[in-house]
Amino acid sequence: MKRIAVFASGGGTNLQALIDAVDKGEIKNGKIEIVFSNKADAFALERAKKQGIPSLYLNPKDFKDRQAYDKELADKMNSMKIDLVCLAGYMKILTGGFINNFNGKIMNIHPALLPAFGGEGMYGLHVHEAVLAHGDKITGCTVHFVDCGTDTGPVILQKKMDVGNAKTPEELQKKVLVYEHAAYKEAVELFCADKLVLEGNEVKVLK
Ligand code: GRF
């Protein structure tokens, strides 16, 4: 059984999708042990509490720098023997120290088909705004392992969808989230079933 931590800064619909997938047995070999946030008022923390999942908030102001913050976080994850960290709308850039400590064990979900519409500044509604401004007909989401770049880590899986008649970033975000929820639980279950093999920058998915 893999021990999962979910990091979230906002509403946490992806967190909820993972909670539901564990409950329904769609994620068979994993358990969410902790939900962490850098925001005291993140609704994701409420979701955790409602579900009886331990939660943790660390106030960035209590630490001298990002390194010290992430060191405390890494120590906590190590002490809990966490096997997988799922970033689900976690809006704080992780330091290299944290990432190297958990190489191949941190996943992120991005609301576009990377490498398109990724990188600095491409988060939240900005992504969907950019997709619409570019006139793309297809978009989707990407689950990837996290490396030290922004949205550059090895891709685990992607789901694509038609932009269709979505006219506003909000409309598009709502449509993409449905695909995100499906993609994230699938990727996490593959990890938990030991079906993901990371070879350099490529992720092999075992049958
Ligand atoms: C999602 O669009 C995710 O792809 C991005 O941040 C958003 C988080 O949404 N990384 P939620 O908090 O899971 O609802």
Side-chain angles (χ1 to χ4, degrees):
M1 187 66 75
K2 301 281 195 247
R3 298 171 62 81
I4 303 168
V6 181
F7 291 10
S9 305
T13 66
N14 277 287
L15 163 67
Q16 192 65 52
L18 295 179
I19 291 173
D20 294 346
V22 170
D23 271 4
K24 288 186 201 153
E26 293 169 344
I27 295 174
K28 288 183 275 300
N29 301 297
K31 182 165 180 247
I32 302 173
E33 301 288 347
I34 188 159
V35 173
F36 168 71
S37 187
N38 61 322
K39 298 273 181 205
D41 59 353
F43 188 65
L45 293 174
E46 293 299 318
R47 293 184 192 268
K49 270 179 215 140
K50 194 166 167 223
Q51 195 68 22
I53 299 171
S55 60
L56 174 70
Y57 157 66
L58 293 176
N59 185 345
K61 290 191 182 129
D62 291 342
F63 295 82
K64 77 170 182 339
D65 55 22
R66 290 170 56 222
Q67 281 70 20
Y69 188 86
D70 277 8
K71 168 81 171 58
E72 171 93 6
L73 195 50
D75 287 350
K76 180 72 185 166
M77 295 305 120
N78 282 325
S79 75
M80 292 187 71
K81 300 197 173 2
I82 292 300
D83 299 301
L84 174 66
V85 173
C86 294
L87 306 183
Y90 184 61
M91 298 302 288
K92 198 168 192 296
I93 305 276
L94 289 167
T95 55
F98 187 97
I99 293 166
N100 292 331
N101 204 307
F102 292 94
N103 189 28
K105 295 177 174 180
I106 311 172
M107 278 184 193
N108 182 43
I109 185 147
H110 185 81
L113 296 171
L114 292 174
F117 306 106
E120 292 286 315
M122 280 293 167
Y123 60 89
L125 286 172
H126 299 301
V127 178
H128 306 296
E129 259 161 32
V131 169
L132 290 172
H134 198 252
D136 280 23
K137 304 287 181 260
I138 288 171
T139 187
C141 63
T142 304
V143 185
H144 64 94
F145 282 120
V146 171
D147 66 10
C148 287
T150 306
D151 302 327
T152 53
V155 171
I156 298 166
L157 62 87
Q158 295 179 298
K159 291 206 183 283
K160 63 179 181 182
M161 51 161 264
D162 290 336
V163 171
N165 55 9
K167 294 271 181 293
T168 66
E170 289 81 4
E171 276 168 23
L172 190 54
Q173 180 180 54
K174 203 170 156 199
K175 287 179 76 169
V176 173
L177 271 171
V178 176
Y179 287 76
E180 290 188 39
H181 299 161
Y184 220 173
K185 67 183 178 192
E186 195 177 321
V188 169
E189 173 54 12
L190 287 169
F191 181 96
C192 291
D194 289 320
K195 288 191 173 165
L196 300 179
V197 181
L198 185 53
E199 286 177 8
N201 208 38
E202 195 190 340
V203 180
K204 294 225 159 76
V205 181
L206 305 179
K207 296 282 171 214

